Amino acid sequence: MSQGSRAWVLHVDLDQFIAAVEVLRRPELVGKPVIVGGRGDPTERAVVSTASYEAREFGVGSGMPLRIAARRAPDAIILPVDHEAYNEASAEVMATLRAQPGAVVQVLGWDEAFVGVQTDDPEAYAHALQRAVLERTRLHCSVGIGDTLVRAKVATGFGKPQGVFRLTAENWLRVMGARPTVDLWGVGSKISRRLAAIGISTVAQLAAADPDADGLVAEFGPRMGPWFAQLGRGDGARVVDDAPWVARGHSRETTYQHDLTGASQIDEAIRELTAQVLADVAAEGRPVVGLALKVRYAPFITKTFTKKVPETFDRAEVLARVMELVERIEPDRPVRLLGLRAEMRMPEEARDGHTPTRSGW
């Protein structure tokens, strides 16, 4: 490390991770359209977990119903999800990142992580990191380089696939200014529409916004309004934190191959989901403080019902509160999916009020 080295944030994103893992196990699939989802049967209700670049050329994307994906790419190979294989591959990648000189690694998921480094040549470091990952795991990755976590995360999209891209305060507005706000990390389609409704459509407009005068605080509140303005500038956390992630909650959901059409079927399904979620929560040793019930009616209309609950470890109490949410399910409407999430009290030592898209945590 030279005397002129400085702190950089690298965002490492594995290219088409799940599909790439499957292709490694089946070399004959190289160059072919591959779709991974559900149990690999497009006649069943399931969604696409990932698609290879070859499948994406047919318009197949994550979250798409598997049957539609199969129609769009009729020659695609459709494979079942194998969580164990992806966990193993991910662990190898993260171990490789941690082994890099001076690296501080903050894992974001199976296929992505922030790496904090001190170097005077972040591009050279990024290319060395890519080579190390490829040599150890045979997986390709893209790397975004930034002076904040937000800029590094956004930069990765410009480097895909298998590339490296730098995005800092110096070129942020030149690269991002004319782009729609939905291109920002942490701004989805709903938020972008709300921003557009107050006259903010581009990243440059958001970056220049006065939270009070331009309606951000009025629309999003005194905390999130200023945060969106900060996001528009690409500002935020600059330090990668390798402290273990503390889950705020656990959730389970099930897509049913046949619609649930009666109260008894829904009751049985809810009890099973609650048991699964409570088993996950019990391993955390923290009380439940909130619940969210997700209901997808046929053909594809989704509603979410939430409830705050007094802190409790009592399984019977949680089930009773869940059943109160169940009362909000519309009777006589076929249900194709149910999901349940239990929020837990955060430990005192955990950083409160932050998520990976809010200033990097």
Side-chain angles (χ1 to χ4, degrees):
M1 212 182 308
S2 74
Q3 198 172 23
S5 64
R6 55 172 284 195
W8 292 95
V9 179
L10 275 56
H11 176 255
V12 180
D13 196 345
L14 292 160
D15 297 325
Q16 54 175 6
F17 171 62
I18 294 174
V21 172
E22 295 293 354
V23 170
L24 285 180
R25 300 199 292 178
R26 302 171 175 83
E28 69 275 10
L29 300 183
V30 171
K32 296 181 179 180
V34 176
I35 299 169
V36 182
R39 296 189 293 186
D41 185 349
T43 66
E44 295 184 349
R45 287 178 173 173
V47 297
V48 175
S49 294
T50 195
S52 67
Y53 291 125
E54 292 81 6
R56 294 177 196 181
E57 292 178 0
F58 292 91
V60 176
S62 299
M64 177 182 291
L66 207 55
R67 68 179 186 281
I68 294 176
R71 288 203 296 266
R72 290 193 176 184
D75 295 326
I77 294 89
I78 303 177
L79 302 172
V81 174
D82 187 343
H83 289 91
E84 185 175 345
Y86 314 143
N87 278 327
E88 291 177 0
S90 177
E92 281 290 296
V93 171
M94 300 309 163
T96 305
L97 299 184
R98 294 187 181 99
Q100 301 312 297
V104 177
V105 179
Q106 179 178 331
V107 178
L108 295 183
W110 264 344
D111 60 348
E112 62 176 327
F114 287 118
V115 178
V117 297
Q118 289 272 350
T119 179
D120 56 1
D121 191 344
E123 277 79 11
Y125 193 103
H127 287 300
L129 184 152
Q130 287 176 315
R131 290 193 296 272
V133 170
L134 183 61
E135 289 172 5
R136 179 164 173 175
T137 69
R138 294 185 294 156
L139 294 170
H140 291 280
C141 62
S142 300
V143 181
I145 300 170
D147 49 0
T148 67
L149 274 66
V150 167
R151 292 187 187 119
K153 169 73 173 178
V154 175
T156 314
F158 293 97
K160 282 188 167 292
Q162 302 179 29
V164 172
F165 192 87
R166 185 195 292 202
L167 196 53
T168 67
E170 294 177 0
N171 66 340
W172 172 257
L173 286 179
R174 186 168 68 251
V175 174
M176 293 295 297
R179 291 179 173 269
T181 57
V182 74
D183 285 358
L184 290 169
W185 183 34
V187 176
S189 58
K190 290 182 180 179
I191 295 296
S192 68
R193 287 195 295 269
R194 289 172 66 184
L195 287 167
I198 60 173
I200 299 173
S201 299
T202 68
V203 173
Q205 290 172 330
L206 184 58
D210 179 300
D212 291 306
D214 294 321
L216 287 171
V217 170
E219 178 68 24
F220 299 103
R223 181 178 173 206
M224 292 304 297
W227 179 76
F228 280 121
Q230 172 184 292
L231 186 64
R233 299 188 299 271
D235 289 339
R238 296 172 180 270
V239 178
V240 175
D241 191 336
D242 60 356
W245 175 256
V246 178
R248 289 186 174 276
H250 286 288
S251 60
R252 295 291 187 104
E253 68 177 43
T254 301
T255 299
Y256 302 99
Q257 296 306 312
H258 301 284
D259 294 339
L260 305 181
T261 55
S264 62
Q265 288 182 320
I266 292 173
D267 181 89
E268 181 181 352
I270 286 292
R271 290 177 183 276
E272 182 177 346
L273 272 178
T274 304
Q276 293 172 354
V277 170
L278 287 178
D280 295 335
V281 169
E284 299 277 355
R286 289 181 279 143
V288 174
V289 297
L291 297 165
L293 177 65
K294 177 180 176 182
V295 183
R296 180 166 294 151
Y297 301 108
F300 213 83
I301 300 170
T302 305
K303 301 288 185 180
T304 301
F305 310 113
T306 61
K307 174 186 284 290
K308 294 291 184 182
V309 302
E311 289 189 7
T312 182
F313 289 96
D314 190 319
R315 297 172 66 89
E317 174 67 15
V318 172
L319 179 59
R321 301 287 182 165
V322 171
M323 289 305 179
E324 291 175 6
L325 289 175
V326 172
E327 293 175 3
R328 299 173 67 179
I329 296 177
E330 297 178 43
D332 303 322
R333 290 195 67 176
V335 172
R336 61 177 292 156
L337 176 148
L338 288 171
L340 180 67
R341 177 175 174 84
E343 298 283 343
M344 299 172 292
R345 185 186 68 199
M346 294 295 285
E348 292 298 325
E349 65 274 14
R351 283 148 293 190
D352 185 36
H354 296 278
T355 71
T357 56
R358 294 183 188 174
S359 297
W361 177 259

